[in-house]
Amino acid sequence: MADVVYLHLGLPKTGTTYLQDRLALNRATLARHGVRYPVGPHDDMFRPALDLVERRWAGVGNDVGGEWDALVRRVRRAKGTVVVSHEILAGADRDQVERAVTSLAPAELHLVLTARDIARQVPAEWQERLKHQDVSSYRRFARRVRKNPRSDTAKSFWRVQDLTRVLERWSRQLTPDRVHVVTVPPPGGAPSELWHRFCRAIAVDPAWAPLDSVRRNPSIGAAESVMLRRLNTRLRAEGLGYDGYAELVRQLIVHDTLAVAENPRKVTLPPDAYDWADEVADRWHDWLVGSGVDVVGDLVDLRPVRPDPDAPWHDPDRPGQRAVAHATMDALVAVIMEADRRPGPDDQLVARVGKVARRLRDR
């Protein structure tokens, strides 16, 4: 059995894709230093995490039984230090937490949680939901998160985005010195700074993982988000399945095309929401200081950065139509080029997406 297990819970949208990919890329060199990242036959730990939290996921979920136990067996075979990481672990309930903690005993268990200020998390989470076929407007999503705690939207958001609730569920059996909160650096910094902070939390020399990752789970601009939301509505009516959506929309259109657009207009909190965001930051700060857990980075990083009071706020639900049309054309070109690249006389799935995209362009 491993001597020490570092269990990285997320939170979602805190650089987890980058961290996990860098761990995977450097598995061999890390192993030479006694650090294992036992992903098994898959590229990540999504399936074991899904099994633990007992969630269904479009395209996955019916065939993940036993994946957590298989991960535990890999941990038990390992020597030295083991790192386990997936952001959906943040949503585990108390019984699932108990199962995880018990199954990883008698190794010395440490929790690692990466955290980012709530002003960046709200728009990032909205966009992430759009990438999974949601059709909610930003205004509705943000209002429910802020003012309607009993709504399904708010419950699902806070379950994985409220660092105090996540740590209260996960850390009941651990001493504060075994709980590590890594703050995500402010915008504009090098991704390597997050990696260095993460390495300090898991007691790893950054030099043991020299290969950098180019994988990201980036946000998109306001116009691109509106285009995606409209496209989701049309594709829902067309009956596009999960596999086609994941390949053609989330990967091809969003990640490969829209996410690399030049100078997108960022989605930000409404100006009147920053007092609320500061209250969340105050609550997090007081809990972290009072709990005595190990904080890697600066607690100031969890404080929302207010915009210039004279700067105009652009409603993400109402971007310029020219910008939306431009994003639509980019998406349409990407789909057509993909259809042209594929072998065979006709790909009905690509043709259907192209048809919907053309209708959206002409709207």
Side-chain angles (χ1 to χ4, degrees):
M1 182 73 180
D3 298 317
V4 180
V5 175
Y6 287 94
L7 186 58
H8 177 217
L9 311 173
L11 307 173
K13 306 304 297 181
T14 58
T16 55
T17 299
Y18 170 77
L19 295 174
Q20 290 155 6
D21 193 50
R22 188 152 186 176
L23 287 167
L25 285 172
N26 292 277
R27 285 178 66 195
T29 55
L30 286 168
R32 287 199 289 272
H33 294 278
V35 180
R36 268 72 180 184
Y37 185 58
V39 291
H42 300 284
D43 293 334
D44 55 32
M45 297 179 180
F46 173 59
R47 294 171 65 88
L50 203 62
D51 181 24
L52 178 72
V53 302
E54 300 176 327
R55 281 190 60 184
R56 294 177 61 87
W57 200 277
V60 187
N62 294 325
D63 60 345
V64 297
E67 292 277 359
W68 177 261
D69 290 338
L71 172 61
V72 171
R73 287 194 293 271
R74 294 195 295 273
V75 172
R76 289 183 177 277
R77 289 195 298 268
K79 302 294 184 183
T81 297
V82 170
V83 181
V84 173
S85 173
H86 205 280
E87 59 274 17
I88 66 172
L89 293 171
D93 63 26
R94 291 189 183 276
D95 289 341
Q96 293 158 356
V97 169
E98 178 68 24
R99 178 190 173 193
V101 172
T102 301
S103 66
L104 294 171
E108 179 181 300
L109 179 63
H110 290 246
L111 300 179
V112 181
L113 185 141
T114 41
R116 192 167 69 151
D117 72 86
I118 198 68
R120 288 190 283 170
Q121 291 298 83
V122 170
E125 181 72 17
W126 173 64
Q127 291 186 337
E128 190 64 24
R129 293 178 184 220
L130 292 182
K131 289 188 284 185
H132 288 82
Q133 300 177 287
D134 199 355
V135 296
S136 299
S137 69
Y138 182 64
R139 181 181 298 275
R140 175 181 297 178
F141 174 80
R143 183 177 64 247
R144 288 179 175 175
V145 165
R146 292 172 55 199
K147 300 181 178 181
N148 191 359
R150 295 184 178 180
S151 68
D152 290 341
T153 297
K155 288 178 181 178
S156 62
F157 176 86
W158 289 114
R159 184 169 190 81
V160 297
Q161 291 294 348
D162 190 333
L163 70 86
T164 61
R165 295 184 191 178
V166 173
L167 288 177
E168 283 168 354
R169 291 196 303 271
W170 273 98
S171 65
R172 289 190 304 162
Q173 301 182 42
L174 300 180
T175 55
D177 60 303
R178 294 191 186 180
V179 179
H180 314 273
V181 175
V182 178
T183 63
V184 175
S192 59
E193 174 57 24
L194 175 60
W195 173 247
H196 281 74
R197 292 183 183 187
F198 184 75
C199 285
R200 291 204 299 275
I202 63 173
V204 163
D205 186 334
W208 297 350
L211 298 178
D212 201 358
S213 170
V214 296
R215 283 192 63 198
R216 304 289 187 274
N217 189 8
S219 296
I220 55 179
E224 292 78 12
S225 298
V226 166
M227 191 283 293
L228 179 59
R229 184 162 64 88
R230 293 177 181 175
L231 183 60
N232 286 347
T233 301
R234 298 295 186 90
L235 291 176
R236 179 177 292 184
E238 294 286 330
L240 180 66
Y242 173 82
D243 290 340
Y245 186 91
E247 179 185 5
L248 293 169
V249 181
R250 186 158 67 244
Q251 187 59 50
L252 175 64
I253 292 179
V254 178
H255 288 171
D256 297 344
T257 305
L258 302 182
V260 297
E262 292 185 4
N263 301 316
R265 177 164 286 168
K266 292 184 178 180
V267 179
T268 60
L269 278 186
D272 64 358
Y274 278 89
D275 287 344
W276 165 82
D278 279 336
E279 291 173 1
V280 174
D282 288 340
R283 179 166 58 84
W284 288 357
H285 177 277
D286 292 346
W287 191 95
L288 290 170
V289 172
S291 68
V293 302
D294 176 40
V295 176
V296 182
D298 196 328
L299 284 177
V300 173
D301 295 337
L302 299 181
R303 176 72 56 187
V305 178
R306 288 178 177 259
D308 188 321
D310 296 326
W313 181 71
H314 300 280
D315 187 344
D317 293 324
R318 298 176 180 273
Q321 290 306 305
R322 179 176 296 180
V324 176
H326 185 76
T328 303
M329 291 301 295
D330 285 346
L332 180 57
V333 168
V335 171
I336 290 173
M337 295 302 293
E338 175 65 14
D340 183 64
R341 184 190 66 80
R342 294 188 176 193
D346 183 34
D347 188 305
Q348 293 181 356
L349 184 59
V350 175
R352 191 159 68 245
V353 174
K355 179 180 178 182
V356 176
R358 286 191 293 274
R359 290 211 309 264
L360 179 62
R361 176 203 61 186
D362 296 334
R363 185 177 177 185

